[in-house]
Amino acid sequence: MMKMGPLTIVLAITGMAILLVAPFSCKGKKGEPIPTMEGIAKMDIQRQPFGNLPDGSQVELFTLTNSHGLKARIMNYGATVISLDVPDRNGQRGDIVLGHDSLEGYLSPAQNPYFGSIVGRYGNRIARGRFILDGVEYQLATNIGPNHLHGGLKGFDKVLWTSEPVQEEGAVGVKLRYLSPDGEEGYPGNLTVTVIYWLTDEDELKIAYEAESDKPTPVNLTHHSYFNLAGQGQGDVLGHELMLNADYFTPVDEELIPTGEIRPVAGTPWDFTKPKPIGAEIAAVPGGYDHNFVLRGETGTLKLAARVHEPSTGRVMEIYTTEPGVQFYSGNFLDGTITGKGGKVYQKHFGFCLETQHFPDSPNHPHFPSTILRPGQKYTSLTIHKFSISS
Ligand code: BGC
């Protein structure tokens, strides 16, 4: 366990860098940069305790702030984003992710469907928790009926990561590390994982992942924030306008396992190539959206995955990723049984997730991009959430 040292440190960053994002072809409501907020001159990081786990270990909370008033609070339990304040078109800051005010809420399985966490070793489902790798059959923990979801009974969202503040020009961040031991949840190999969350002065939350293993293993890491760009607890997200940069999706069976088909979205409710409200055709999707979309462009190259615009506040979020897919989940299983931050009750569709990742159940579908990491290779992945406002 890491010792706390000084409870609070403040790092002032003076230099500001311009992050270069390639000029992607952009569709949908584009935003304008968020203006500098009065009284906030510098980026900073604060570090403080955030309660204790049942075994006594201390959880740490990092607060990252930029000069435009964006603020991300991240804890090292589950490598979890617990709040994300973003100004609207009137300069009013609002917290746009669902979650809890204190550690207790995150520790209760019934109250925490992966809010804001890093999901691993494998994001989404593996059918029957089984796969064959190099001729050997592996049986993973099953935690959603007969299947494996989001790393199993105790995935990366339920472990304490070691953590330290980091900074570079124009960005402040927190670096989190976890060693997943050989055999954990049934997975082969000791896997060392590093995740860095950066908040930049270009109004981005960047998530950079790295992993290495001493045995071949599937790896598929993602981030699981539930967004509501109108503010957490402020109604459902069905009026948010969504654009997905995807011509195909992977249909699923009744257990939400991909059938293996890669189907064109054209002419279906899954067509978000032009922006439309999330709710526009959701009634025609049994259970609501919970599907992997196949992104245009190369795996390993940063590309636009999604753009979301919330008309009443003018908040715009673009997502760029090196991953080949994004799981669009429309908060279908939220049902009013979770009371979150500020006493807000989260009803159906009160948040949406856009989880950049490889495709679900890839170890059982050889024609999907491979998720197998071998000794000597390095897993790397980058996702950027970029915020702006529309007039
Ligand atoms: C999955 C849903 C699941 C949710 C967990 C999403 O990533 O696609 O099926 O219910 O996570 O709350």
Side-chain angles (χ1 to χ4, degrees):
M1 247 311 287
M2 191 167 164
K3 273 252 171 235
M4 270 304 289
L7 290 190
T8 302
I9 58 163
V10 179
L11 300 177
I13 310 296
T14 45
M16 298 302 164
I18 294 170
L19 189 112
L20 293 172
V21 173
F24 301 100
S25 71
C26 294
K27 288 183 178 169
K29 191 86 179 176
K30 282 196 71 179
E32 302 294 320
I34 298 169
T36 300
M37 191 168 264
E38 262 179 51
I40 305 180
K42 291 183 185 112
M43 307 192 76
D44 74 33
I45 314 173
Q46 293 188 28
R47 180 183 195 173
Q48 61 200 113
F50 193 61
N52 295 81
L53 297 178
D55 71 359
S57 14
Q58 191 175 69
V59 176
E60 292 190 280
L61 174 69
F62 295 81
T63 303
L64 315 178
T65 314
N66 85 356
S67 61
H68 302 153
L70 272 76
K71 184 167 87 171
R73 290 161 68 236
I74 295 162
M75 68 167 164
N76 62 342
Y77 177 74
T80 303
V81 173
I82 65 173
S83 65
L84 184 57
D85 292 356
V86 177
D88 67 9
R89 65 161 73 88
N90 301 317
Q92 293 294 318
R93 282 204 276 192
D95 180 2
I96 60 156
V97 294
L98 278 52
H100 293 286
D101 290 318
S102 64
L103 181 60
E104 210 186 348
Y106 289 95
L107 295 178
S108 156
Q111 293 288 305
N112 186 13
Y114 306 90
F115 283 145
S117 60
I118 294 296
V119 166
R121 193 179 290 202
Y122 198 98
N124 215 281
R125 289 166 179 78
I126 296 181
R128 302 292 184 267
R130 262 187 235 141
F131 61 92
I132 293 171
L133 176 55
D134 298 339
V136 178
E137 184 171 75
Y138 292 91
Q139 177 65 60
L140 304 175
T142 52
N143 59 326
I144 184 136
N147 301 313
H148 178 88
L149 175 70
H150 293 336
L153 296 164
K154 192 176 180 189
F156 295 178
D157 61 295
K158 295 180 186 67
V159 299
L160 192 62
W161 299 56
T162 56
S163 49
E164 59 179 294
V166 288
Q167 57 175 300
E168 60 179 31
E169 225 189 334
V172 285
V174 50
K175 184 192 267 195
L176 299 133
R177 284 204 186 90
Y178 178 61
L179 166 64
S180 170
D182 189 7
E184 188 179 44
E185 301 294 314
Y187 287 102
N190 291 296
L191 185 78
T192 52
V193 187
T194 304
V195 172
I196 307 180
Y197 285 104
W198 291 106
L199 182 70
T200 77
D201 228 21
E202 298 294 311
D203 302 327
E204 299 157 318
L205 182 68
K206 293 207 279 183
I207 313 172
Y209 307 78
E210 283 184 5
E212 285 179 276
S213 178
D214 60 6
K215 287 185 188 164
T217 179
V219 183
N220 190 28
L221 307 177
T222 191
H223 172 70
H224 209 291
S225 273
Y226 288 67
F227 294 97
N228 185 330
L229 300 187
Q232 68 91 22
Q234 303 295 318
D236 67 49
V237 296
L238 301 180
H240 286 49
E241 292 158 10
L242 171 67
M243 189 284 296
L244 292 174
N245 200 15
D247 296 312
Y248 297 87
F249 75 108
T250 52
V252 290
D253 66 14
E254 56 293 340
E255 289 177 355
L256 297 174
I257 306 285
T259 59
E261 189 192 350
I262 296 180
R263 188 184 294 174
V265 298
T268 77
W270 288 267
D271 189 352
F272 285 93
T273 53
K274 293 188 191 69
K276 70 178 181 202
I278 288 175
E281 295 180 80
I282 200 169
V285 178
Y289 295 100
D290 196 352
H291 296 84
N292 167 67
F293 287 72
V294 179
L295 295 172
R296 291 175 184 155
E298 296 283 308
T299 301
T301 302
L302 198 63
K303 57 200 174 285
L304 183 66
R307 179 179 295 115
V308 195
H309 170 234
E310 200 290 301
S312 70
T313 58
R315 291 195 184 97
V316 176
M317 176 173 71
E318 289 175 336
I319 299 181
Y320 298 88
T321 189
T322 56
E323 288 295 308
V326 63
Q327 181 80 11
F328 169 42
Y329 170 57
S330 52
N332 314 322
F333 298 117
L334 299 173
D335 61 1
T337 53
I338 298 176
T339 301
K341 288 180 273 191
K344 300 283 189 203
V345 175
Y346 299 144
Q347 305 287 356
K348 191 170 185 178
H349 306 314
F350 265 41
F352 67 89
C353 302
L354 285 168
E355 302 151 63
T356 53
Q357 56 182 27
H358 276 54
F359 308 171
D361 201 29
S362 294
N364 294 309
H365 299 278
H367 62 297
F368 287 178
S370 174
T371 52
I372 304 303
L373 177 70
R374 294 184 179 276
Q377 296 177 334
K378 189 181 256 187
Y379 168 102
T380 58
S381 179
L382 177 67
T383 292
I384 299 178
H385 296 74
K386 179 159 174 83
F387 296 96
S388 54
I389 42 176
S390 73
S391 47

